[in-house]
Amino acid sequence: MPLRPLMFGEIMDGAFQTIRRNPKAMLGAGLLAQALGAVIAGVVPLFAPASDASAEAWLANLSTSEMTGLFAGVAGGFILFGLVSVFISVVMQGAMVVPVARSILNRPTGFRQMWLLARGRAWTLVRLAGIGVAAVLLAMALIVVATALLANAMGTGSLVIVLPLFLAFIAAMIWVSVKLTVAPAVIVVEDVGALDGIRRSWAVTRGSWWRVLGIVLVVSLLVGIIGQIVLIPVTLLSGLLTTVTGPQDPASQAATLQVVVGVATAVVSAAVGAVAFAFQTSVMALLYLDLRMRNDGLDIALLRLLESRTDDGGIPGRGVPVYSSGRNTPGPHQPWPYQQGPHQTGPYGNSAGWPPPPGPPTMPG
């Protein structure tokens, strides 16, 4: 990877190269992030009715209270699944920043090393996910309450206000999610708390919102299209098996065929999802490092680390001063990465920092 602000093609190529050079760390974490969905997708066919007719008969025999409990349980299960998936994805996204940051300096990273370096930030990532989920639920609750109040006050005329309000809520969600795209990477690399990670992500994306949104959209579309193309053979194979084996003994083979197809689809979907998650996470991590290079001069510090040819086993970029942090912010006459104070050590190992502070040199004695 070139140690300078990155172009779009370099970010895409860097994401592929990171996965290729660190397959255990990247694909292993991707599989963990997709494991819950794969298990649920593989288990559901085991309990599903063998045919649509039996499903309709089973639903027809349920009472009103049983039907209400069934739908409440299904809705609660989906909500719980979504919450757990969000927490796992955020933690894995933060952990996978480690091999991406190290791969910029051609340093390989195994799965165990990745987790050891990111383990101390796991609970902070969980708190970040909790803050995000709580904010979304609160915003949705406010929208529901406002809609109910307007419906009671205005009747059918409330749609004139509710629809723009809902569209504004969607637009605000997109804007905030883009601003917080690199928050997991900030928490792991800069070793800050959840709220500080949110503030840093908000600051580092300032002036680059449209660029980040464009890259995220392109990557999401690319991953979605490729994933659908890969799943086409599985769909065709399931249809072929149904056509070949169905006429012979449909009563005994329908359930077995459904289970086999469900498990095969779950396995393939998990593998495709792991690769897609690893690629998207690599792109997000490289976006964060690119923004740090543009805003904080991170490329200069990385160049010095690369020239030293030593691997301390840590995360490149940790401890490098940033412009928007109150503790390490250079003064107006002190360009980065100079730090004040006679006993503070600069990022390049010298006690005075580099470059030296402006002004006339002082003579000894």
Side-chain angles (χ1 to χ4, degrees):
M1 291 292 297
L3 294 180
R4 54 169 173 74
L6 303 175
M7 305 295 290
F8 173 72
E10 293 169 340
I11 292 177
M12 300 289 285
D13 180 67
F16 282 115
Q17 293 293 337
T18 301
I19 298 174
R20 186 177 67 86
R21 296 182 180 183
N22 305 278
K24 294 182 180 180
M26 301 301 294
L27 298 182
L31 284 174
L32 283 179
Q34 302 297 316
L36 181 62
V39 170
I40 292 177
V43 170
V44 166
L46 300 178
F47 300 94
S51 63
D52 295 338
S54 60
E56 293 177 0
W58 177 67
L59 291 174
N61 294 327
L62 294 178
S63 63
T64 304
S65 59
E66 292 175 338
M67 187 73 70
T68 303
L70 173 63
F71 282 110
V74 171
F78 275 111
I79 293 174
L80 180 61
F81 168 72
L83 292 177
V84 175
S85 298
V86 167
F87 281 92
I88 294 176
S89 298
V90 171
V91 173
M92 289 296 104
Q93 183 178 350
M96 293 165 72
V97 174
V98 175
V100 176
R102 289 176 55 82
S103 66
I104 288 186
L105 301 181
N106 298 321
R107 297 174 179 177
T109 307
F111 181 83
R112 183 174 181 272
Q113 183 182 14
M114 175 193 71
W115 185 247
L116 287 176
L117 290 173
R119 183 176 58 184
R121 314 306 303 155
W123 286 113
T124 305
L125 293 170
V126 169
R127 287 195 293 272
L128 174 68
I131 292 173
V133 170
V136 172
L137 293 178
L138 178 61
M140 293 178 63
L142 292 176
I143 292 293
V144 171
V145 171
T147 302
L149 293 176
L150 289 173
N152 291 331
M154 302 178 61
T156 57
S158 62
L159 291 176
V160 180
I161 300 177
V162 171
L163 183 59
L165 186 64
F166 178 75
L167 295 177
F169 171 73
I170 298 297
M173 288 290 296
I174 295 174
W175 182 66
V176 172
S177 63
V178 172
K179 294 290 290 183
L180 303 182
T181 297
V182 298
V186 170
I187 288 175
V188 174
V189 175
E190 300 184 21
D191 195 14
V192 297
L195 295 179
D196 289 335
I198 291 174
R199 284 191 287 265
R200 275 288 296 150
S201 178
W202 201 279
V204 80
T205 53
R206 185 179 296 118
S208 301
W209 189 90
W210 287 106
R211 179 170 177 268
V212 175
L213 175 65
I215 293 176
V216 170
L217 288 178
V218 170
V219 171
S220 300
L221 290 174
L222 179 63
V223 168
I225 293 172
I226 294 177
Q228 293 300 318
I229 293 175
V230 173
L231 290 177
I232 287 177
V234 179
T235 305
L236 295 177
L237 181 61
S238 64
L240 179 62
L241 290 175
T242 303
T243 304
V244 172
T245 61
Q248 297 176 4
D249 193 4
S252 62
Q253 294 182 1
T256 304
L257 181 61
Q258 184 179 6
V259 171
V260 171
V261 172
V263 172
T265 304
V267 171
V268 175
S269 300
V272 174
V275 176
F277 186 80
F279 178 71
Q280 288 179 301
T281 303
S282 299
V283 171
M284 297 302 104
L286 289 172
L287 262 177
Y288 162 72
L289 295 172
D290 170 68
L291 293 172
R292 286 287 307 275
M293 292 178 189
R294 295 173 184 270
N295 299 330
D296 302 329
L298 179 64
D299 49 343
I300 302 175
L302 294 179
L303 279 171
R304 297 291 297 182
L305 289 174
L306 185 63
E307 291 174 358
S308 66
R309 299 183 181 275
T310 58
D311 183 3
D312 58 357
I315 304 175
R318 177 170 290 182
V320 176
V322 296
Y323 279 117
S324 55
S325 173
R327 290 173 297 177
N328 292 326
T329 304
H333 302 294
Q334 294 164 327
W336 184 90
Y338 174 72
Q339 295 175 278
Q340 300 185 31
H343 302 295
Q344 290 180 330
T345 302
Y348 305 117
N350 54 331
S351 60
W354 187 92
T362 58
M363 299 299 293

